Amino acid sequence: MKTHMSDKDGKKPLGVGGSGRSGQVKQSFSHGRTKSVVVETKRKRVVAKPGGGASQPADKAKTPLTARVAGDPSKRPAGISDAEMERRLKALAAAKAREAEDNERRAAEEKAREEERERRRAEIEAKAREEREREEARKAKAEEEARAAREAEEAKARQKEEPKRDARAKPAAAAKPATPDQAAIEAAAARAETKGVSNTQRKPDRERNDRDNRNKTTRDDNRRSGKLSLNQALNGEGGRQRSMAAMKRKQEKARQQAIGGGQRAEKQVRDVQLPDTIVVSELANRMAERAADVVKSLMKMGMMVSMNQAIDSDTAELVIEEFGHRAVRVSDADVEQVIDSVQDKDEDLQSRPPIITIMGHVDHGKTSLLDAIRKANVVSGEAGGITQHIGAYQVQAESGAVLTFLDTPGHAAFTSMRARGANVTDIVVLVVAADDAVMPQTIEAINHAKAAKVPMIVAINKVDKPTADVQKVRTALLQHEVVVEQMSGDVQDVEVSAKTGHGLDALLEAIALQAEILELKANPGRAAQGAVIEAQLDVGRGPVATVLVQHGTLRRGDIFVVGEQWGKVRALINDQGERVEEAGPSVPVEVLGLNGTPEAGDVLNVVETEAQAREIAEFRTQQSKDKRAAAGASITLDQMLAKAKADQTVAELPVVVKADVQGSAEAIVQALEKVGNDEVRVRVLHYGVGAITESDIGLAEASQAPVIGFNVRANAPARNSANQKGVEIRYYSVIYDLVDDIRAAASGLLSAEVRENFIGYAEIREVFKVTGVGKVAGCLVTEGIARRSAGVRLLRDNVVIHEGTLKTLKRFKDEVKEVQSGQECGMAFENYDDIRPGDVIEIFEREEVERTL
């Protein structure tokens, strides 16, 4: 509803008039309530059908016209076809739509006009209000001026009364501060005029300020009024109150003062466990002191640290002593005390089988020799006939003695594997081919055996070959301080042939003899301890570790920790592939049930509880992280910048490596790191164990690197991802091929070597000036051939004064490609004119030669 205003403002009165008709409607509500409202009805244009009135029954009006006319042929005008009728009905629908649009537009315009009227009215009211305020301000100013003038006249009159001046001096002095001077009066009037605020309008402000001050005073009183009652809380009285905890503290303090006269409680001295490093907040917690106090104490010592920073144990100990507590030094490494080696009693020790590692150069017949001893055929199943994994087997000799053999690879890449084999073994069998003598990996195996301080037996293999020279092998070994018994030394040597079986009994007898001398014993009754020979990630079985038990007995269900991993023995599988319940000393078994793949060479220890195993594994993981972080942090900024500068000129070939076992992955990484020189190098982005996954493909794509799979394959999602992203996956089963291919790829990154080939010399006989060309040299080719495409140097007194290319090479005014020796020709240089008779032109060609690593 719109309100009516009087005509006195000079404004047009508003009402419910307008284009429509006004009327009253009675609204009915529930419980018999009614309400009368004024409504405005607008006329609607009704499109009536020919012959039909505007007022039709409601049910007919609700039915669409198309349906009514189409459904009832009698209503259709005579001679109108269906198509014509359809066209007319469409035109009628379009007219209705246009009418609806017009109505909407008119309503919007009416609304806009109404808003404009409201805005104008508000502007007029604001102007009138301002005018009134200005008028009031003028009146107030006039009154002030009149009063000031009156007071000034009175003052003059008083000054004229000389006799009464002394008598009136005191009242005048009292009245003077209350009398404002003319400048102050004008300033007050100007302020009133500027702000448009009368004195009557300032009065509410003063009242509001007084009220606020009263409220503040009341609130302050209420804050100190004691406990908050339930009524006060519900009624919202009292504003911001003290908390219940504060009130309780206050009451407790008052009670303590009443009982003990306010003496302080005795400080409790605590034993504070102090590791190598500790965070300030944790130190405060252990001392039961406020962290802020600890930070303050450290600041007094000159250490600006926050409560979330770590401090070393020495500083922490000083803080603990300052607060009056006792520091108890502990180390994070204390968690590993549970796996400390147990001293075995002599009565508990029992004989154990010897562990024999077979070592030697590649293709000297190590695996074939072991196959002959085991009466098995491992070689035929190996890729390329070479061993690339470390294998562990148990063999029962004819005498009944049990021997444990480790078969190591002979390839140069597997240094770390051979080192691991030497570290866990009792006896090293050094296999040397009689037709090949001592080779690089033979020397390496000798060094490993010496470093591990284990006895050695030399097996001279392939003695059945016509080219075999056993004596040459024995002599060659002397150079490396291996003196065999035949040469009056203490190292046993046996001539064997893995192919014919010759000398195998003698070899086993020599091993048994050496084992007897060593008197190998172990305690099978203690908690197991062993070494991881190899580890891999197996599809379906998860992480699998080949473990050689050294002490105690490993049983199914044992909880163990191995390196940074831990687990519970789910299954034990021996070298024959059979499941066993336990494995005693010197027995190699595959262990299932790890939570991750350990590193080859890690030590396995059985612990009592799962919590202990988890804690030790977490501590070791954190320790290795800290070590890596410390290694990175030790590099100074200068070193980092120098390295970055040096690396700018080095081309890198990034690769992602996935292998079937941990040892192979390590060997491949070590081999690839050796590929390269000062200009190019191979960078292993990531290496791991197990099938190639989508994450490997994502990493390779980001660095535009190939993925190398060694005895593993990519799973289906990884293959699809590689096809989409264009990542190359290369599979290998022989490490030679892998290293050769990577070396070839890295060679492709080397910049080609540019070589110059001199193809001819020409002597300048005469110099001509040709319009549009410049100076042209008339030359005689004295040696070789002159080519248009070749590079040239201009020599004057055997000194090079210009190097460039030919602009033109002519013979008898014809442009030619080349000129033979002994013929004359015309030459012009590109962008160079300083040529003289007697100069020599040297003609050469550059060719790029690919370099290899």
Side-chain angles (χ1 to χ4, degrees), residues 437-479:
V438 175
M439 298 300 283
Q441 268 60 58
T442 315
I443 299 162
E444 192 192 297
I446 292 167
N447 293 336
H448 283 315
K450 284 181 179 174
K453 295 179 180 175
V454 288
M456 199 186 308
I457 297 171
V458 177
I460 302 169
N461 197 15
K462 303 189 182 181
V463 292
D464 58 307
K465 278 197 168 184
T467 55
D469 187 349
V470 177
Q471 204 57 35
K472 183 187 172 187
V473 172
R474 290 178 177 136
T475 312
L477 287 170
L478 284 173
Q479 297 173 20

Side-chain angles (χ1 to χ4, degrees), residues 2 28 49 84 334 614 646 667 674-675 710 719 727 768 784:
K2 297 170 186 166
S28 299
K49 296 190 298 294
E84 177 64 21
D334 290 350
R614 191 184 287 110
K674 290 174 186 171
V675 173
F710 185 75
R719 280 199 301 273
V727 174
F768 309 98

Side-chain angles (χ1 to χ4, degrees), residues 77-90:
I80 298 294
S81 65
D82 287 348
E84 177 64 21
M85 193 67 216
E86 187 68 32
R87 190 180 61 74
R88 288 187 182 185
L89 291 172
K90 278 182 182 173

Side-chain angles (χ1 to χ4, degrees), residues 75 112 128 131 163 193 344 367 407 462 533 545 596 677 685 803 809:
K75 298 284 176 71
E131 194 64 41
E193 187 179 355
D344 295 318
T367 307
D407 186 14
K462 303 189 182 181
I533 302 297
N677 57 17
L685 297 172
E803 183 177 329
L809 178 64

Side-chain angles (χ1 to χ4, degrees), residues 361-673:
H361 190 71
V362 66
D363 208 23
H364 276 203
K366 296 181 295 300
T367 307
S368 304
L369 183 63
L370 189 55
D371 284 347
I373 295 169
R374 293 176 64 221
K375 297 180 177 61
N377 190 7
V378 174
V379 169
S380 60
E382 290 187 327
I386 63 164
T387 303
Q388 297 176 113
H389 299 157
I390 192 163
Y393 313 98
Q394 269 205 320
V395 175
Q396 190 156 11
E398 289 180 5
S399 61
V402 176
L403 308 173
T404 299
F405 282 97
L406 296 182
D407 186 14
T408 60
H411 188 261
F414 296 96
T415 305
S416 54
M417 271 194 200
R418 284 191 289 276
R420 276 198 297 278
N423 288 338
V424 298
T425 193
D426 301 313
I427 301 165
V428 168
V429 173
L430 183 67
V431 178
V432 189
D435 61 339
D436 207 10
V438 175
M439 298 300 283
Q441 268 60 58
T442 315
I443 299 162
E444 192 192 297
I446 292 167
N447 293 336
H448 283 315
K450 284 181 179 174
K453 295 179 180 175
V454 288
M456 199 186 308
I457 297 171
V458 177
I460 302 169
N461 197 15
K462 303 189 182 181
V463 292
D464 58 307
K465 278 197 168 184
T467 55
D469 187 349
V470 177
Q471 204 57 35
K472 183 187 172 187
V473 172
R474 290 178 177 136
T475 312
L477 287 170
L478 284 173
Q479 297 173 20
H480 305 286
E481 299 173 15
V482 177
V483 187
V484 297
E485 287 178 344
Q486 293 274 345
M487 298 274 189
S488 67
D490 55 356
V491 177
Q492 297 184 73
D493 66 316
V494 185
E495 294 176 19
V496 293
S497 168
K499 199 170 183 180
T500 61
H502 166 72
L504 292 181
D505 295 337
L507 179 62
L508 291 175
E509 194 179 319
I511 291 168
L513 178 63
Q514 188 67 57
E516 203 174 307
I517 294 166
L518 292 172
E519 292 185 351
L520 303 168
K521 291 185 176 181
N523 176 12
R526 57 171 279 185
Q529 182 186 336
V532 176
I533 302 297
E534 197 52 273
Q536 66 190 72
L537 190 66
D538 200 332
V539 179
R541 297 194 300 172
V544 179
T546 305
V547 175
L548 182 65
V549 181
Q550 292 170 308
H551 303 286
T553 304
L554 185 64
R555 296 178 176 82
R556 199 159 68 85
D558 279 350
I559 293 158
F560 61 89
V561 62
V562 50
E564 295 174 21
Q565 313 299 335
W566 65 278
K568 187 175 182 179
V569 180
R570 255 199 355 252
L572 296 170
I573 300 165
N574 67 9
D575 60 317
Q576 307 292 331
E578 301 162 351
R579 288 204 171 209
V580 291
E581 286 298 308
E582 60 179 37
S586 301
V587 177
V589 282
E590 279 189 344
V591 177
L592 278 68
L594 294 112
N595 73 326
T597 312
E599 299 285 326
D602 283 343
V603 178
L604 177 141
N605 291 95
V606 170
V607 293
E608 291 178 9
T609 64
E610 201 172 293
Q612 278 180 345
R614 191 184 287 110
E615 191 180 4
I616 294 166
E618 283 173 3
F619 163 68
R620 287 175 177 175
T621 307
Q622 187 60 45
Q623 211 174 24
S624 68
K625 271 186 194 169
D626 293 346
K627 204 176 283 180
R628 285 196 298 271
S634 62
I635 298 171
T636 63
L637 186 60
D638 293 341
Q639 289 171 325
M640 203 181 293
L641 291 170
K643 187 175 184 294
K645 199 172 182 180
D647 289 352
Q648 281 177 349
T649 57
V650 180
E652 283 189 340
L653 175 67
V655 291
V656 175
V657 175
K658 289 304 278 289
D660 53 344
V661 295
Q662 187 77 35
S664 296
E666 281 179 13
I668 290 163
V669 170
Q670 286 168 5
L672 293 183
E673 282 173 353

